[in-house]
Amino acid sequence: MEATPEILCIGAAHWDVIGRSAQAVASGDDLPGCVRESPGGVALNIARGLAQAGCVTALLAAIGTDPAGDALSDRLARDRVQTRHLHRAAHLPTDRYLAIEDPQGLIAAIADSTTLDQSGAAILAPLLTGALKDWRGTVLLDCGLPAQALARLRDTARSRLTLRLASASPAKVARLRPFLGTKAIFHLNRAEASALLAQDFPDSRSAAMALVAQGAARALVTDGARPATDADGAAVLSAPPPPVTATRITGAGDAFIAAHIAAEHRAAPRDAALIAALAQAARHISSP
């Protein structure tokens, strides 16, 4: 039998299709480059990172019963992510994410999250009414879930869970607003913090402090190559990421979150956890 999970990751799981050109990309360009397909989705990426760090991790997400879903489930199992609580959506395709990157970063992306959107609260069934209904521990929740499903989790399970919240994109981050004023920990980048609070911030420190002022129990805000910040009502810590040459961008925030949760799961001090997370994100964006 599989061990009881230490951490649950809930949200998006799909295949990423990412095209990257070594040249700057402008609208209408047709350029040489490389196209790669890999497992993706915020919750999935973080689950894989946690499992790689040695945490017993289960993923709650929706994938199809199609060959793409079978391949994704098999890949997760090989990566030591528990898959028995996945919602396998009949007659729906496994979701996909398409992105274009150039040396300056992300140019554009489209997320086809049909199966995630239509599955909704069914993804949460193991935790709310099923095998995990009495489980207590840390949950990483991304905002890809529909707002109604997020509200159900907030209202019925937060008393027994430590919630860490992540954004799937600035376009969806407003779904996390109802969690302000709870005991949730927010993991955002500066653009997502600005979108959530409808306010521009010059740096991660001001963004993190504003999130705490608006009711976040704790806020961790990244800002690309600029310093990241960890703030709560007692302390504000900032640290710069290591200087590296980026070879990819997608997934850097997820690598940061997974490394941070893993470090704190091993009882690392806050400053050490922040530095470890920044180092892992740097390794991610500079790897082939």
Side-chain angles (χ1 to χ4, degrees):
M1 292 181 62
E2 287 184 317
T4 300
E6 297 170 325
I7 301 170
L8 302 180
C9 294
I10 306 176
H14 49 242
W15 285 103
D16 281 351
V17 180
I18 299 175
R20 193 173 196 278
S21 173
Q23 305 174 47
V25 179
S27 178
D29 278 351
D30 185 347
L31 299 173
C34 62
V35 178
R36 295 179 178 176
E37 185 176 63
S38 61
V42 171
L44 180 149
N45 289 340
I46 296 171
R48 291 179 73 208
L50 287 165
Q52 184 177 19
C55 300
V56 181
T57 307
L59 178 65
L60 275 65
I63 62 176
T65 55
D66 54 354
D70 293 340
L72 190 56
S73 179
D74 290 345
R75 175 63 180 271
L76 288 166
R78 291 198 302 272
D79 291 339
R80 302 188 305 279
V81 175
Q82 294 184 5
T83 60
R84 68 179 182 273
H85 302 298
L86 287 174
H87 175 68
R88 300 300 300 268
H91 313 301
L92 288 173
T94 298
D95 292 335
R96 289 185 179 270
Y97 171 88
L98 176 66
I100 302 295
E101 297 178 354
D102 74 1
Q104 301 305 310
L106 179 67
I107 301 301
I110 296 175
D112 181 352
S113 56
T114 301
T115 297
L116 176 64
D117 292 339
Q118 293 191 20
S119 298
I123 296 169
L124 303 176
L127 184 60
L128 299 180
T129 60
L132 298 171
K133 67 180 186 300
D134 297 319
W135 183 87
R136 295 177 179 272
T138 296
V139 169
L140 182 285
L141 177 67
D142 78 38
C143 67
L145 285 174
Q148 186 175 7
L150 290 172
R152 186 173 178 193
L153 180 60
R154 182 198 68 215
D155 294 338
T156 62
R158 69 183 185 189
S159 62
R160 60 186 171 92
L161 305 174
T162 298
L163 288 178
R164 288 181 176 252
L165 308 176
S167 174
S169 72
K172 295 180 179 180
V173 72
R175 297 178 184 180
L176 299 181
R177 194 169 290 130
F179 289 90
L180 291 169
T182 71
K183 296 180 180 180
I185 300 169
F186 284 71
H187 290 266
L188 305 173
N189 62 36
R190 181 167 60 91
E192 292 161 347
S194 294
L196 178 64
L197 299 182
Q199 180 180 350
D200 289 332
F201 298 105
D203 50 39
S204 67
R205 186 181 185 90
S206 59
M209 292 175 67
L211 284 164
V212 172
Q214 291 296 317
R218 184 178 174 195
L220 290 106
V221 180
T222 57
D223 192 11
R226 302 172 66 194
T229 298
D230 174 5
D232 63 10
V236 180
L237 308 174
S238 293
V244 295
T245 299
T247 60
R248 56 176 173 165
I249 301 298
T250 299
D254 304 337
F256 174 94
I257 296 171
H260 190 270
I261 295 173
E264 295 206 327
H265 187 68
R266 295 189 294 265
R270 284 178 65 174
D271 56 348
L274 181 60
I275 291 170
L278 288 166
Q280 182 60 32
R283 283 190 289 271
H284 175 86
I285 66 171
S286 60
S287 63

